[in-house]
Amino acid sequence: MNIGNRLAALRAERKWTQLHTSAALGISRAALSHYEKNRREPDSETLLKFANLFQVTVDYLVGRTSIRGQQLTDGVRNFVDQLELSDDDLLNKYQLTIDGRVLTAEETKWFINFVRAERLES
């Protein structure tokens, strides 16, 4: 199953219209239609919006797993959102790299979310 099919199925399960869903995401109805029909793929920011709205993981949306469940509790999400990861000194001191490329502030935040979610499941 591809991204568009999963997005359409998640929206249909909730009996939401495209108009309702697109408004909740802050995108146009036409853009949502293109995503659901696999004419376009959402960028990473939009994928995160979909994951948050439908309470699923990005991995589920892109087909890397069949496990839907949102892995972050509201408490963990609120804590992570309050972290000062944009502080250049902090990011430079604890520079994370993957495949030789330094993670951006947003990628670092996502990485921390992932680690916390994995720890919650243990």
Side-chain angles (χ1 to χ4, degrees), residues 3 32-33 41 77 104-105 116 122:
I3 295 172
L32 177 59
S33 178
E41 287 194 3
R77 182 176 306 285
T104 66
R116 286 200 175 104
S122 304

Side-chain angles (χ1 to χ4, degrees), residues 24-116:
L25 293 165
I27 62 174
S28 70
R29 192 209 52 78
L32 177 59
S33 178
H34 285 298
Y35 297 145
E36 289 185 356
K37 292 180 180 181
N38 297 300
R39 293 183 191 136
R40 290 191 338 205
E41 287 194 3
D43 60 23
S44 58
E45 182 180 328
T46 305
L47 268 177
L48 286 173
K49 287 180 181 180
F50 277 114
N52 289 335
L53 180 67
F54 292 129
Q55 295 292 298
V56 296
T57 63
V58 171
D59 280 346
Y60 175 77
L61 291 177
V62 299
R64 292 186 61 187
T65 183
S66 59
I67 301 169
R68 292 179 176 206
Q70 185 74 12
Q71 298 187 13
L72 297 178
T73 65
D74 288 339
V76 171
R77 182 176 306 285
N78 289 337
F79 176 76
V80 169
D81 287 343
Q82 292 174 15
L83 291 177
E84 265 309 316
L85 293 177
S86 60
D87 181 351
D88 289 335
D89 292 333
L90 178 65
L91 289 174
N92 289 331
K93 184 174 182 180
Y94 300 105
Q95 226 172 32
L96 298 176
T97 61
I98 295 180
D99 300 328
R101 293 176 53 198
V102 175
L103 296 179
T104 66
E106 196 60 37
E107 290 169 329
T108 301
K109 191 174 181 180
W110 181 87
F111 180 76
I112 290 169
N113 281 335
F114 175 79
V115 169
R116 286 200 175 104

Side-chain angles (χ1 to χ4, degrees), residues 6-17 21 36 54:
R6 289 204 172 182
L7 294 174
L10 288 165
R11 182 180 59 77
E13 286 172 12
R14 287 159 178 79
K15 297 182 173 125
W16 292 348
T17 64
T21 306
E36 289 185 356
F54 292 129

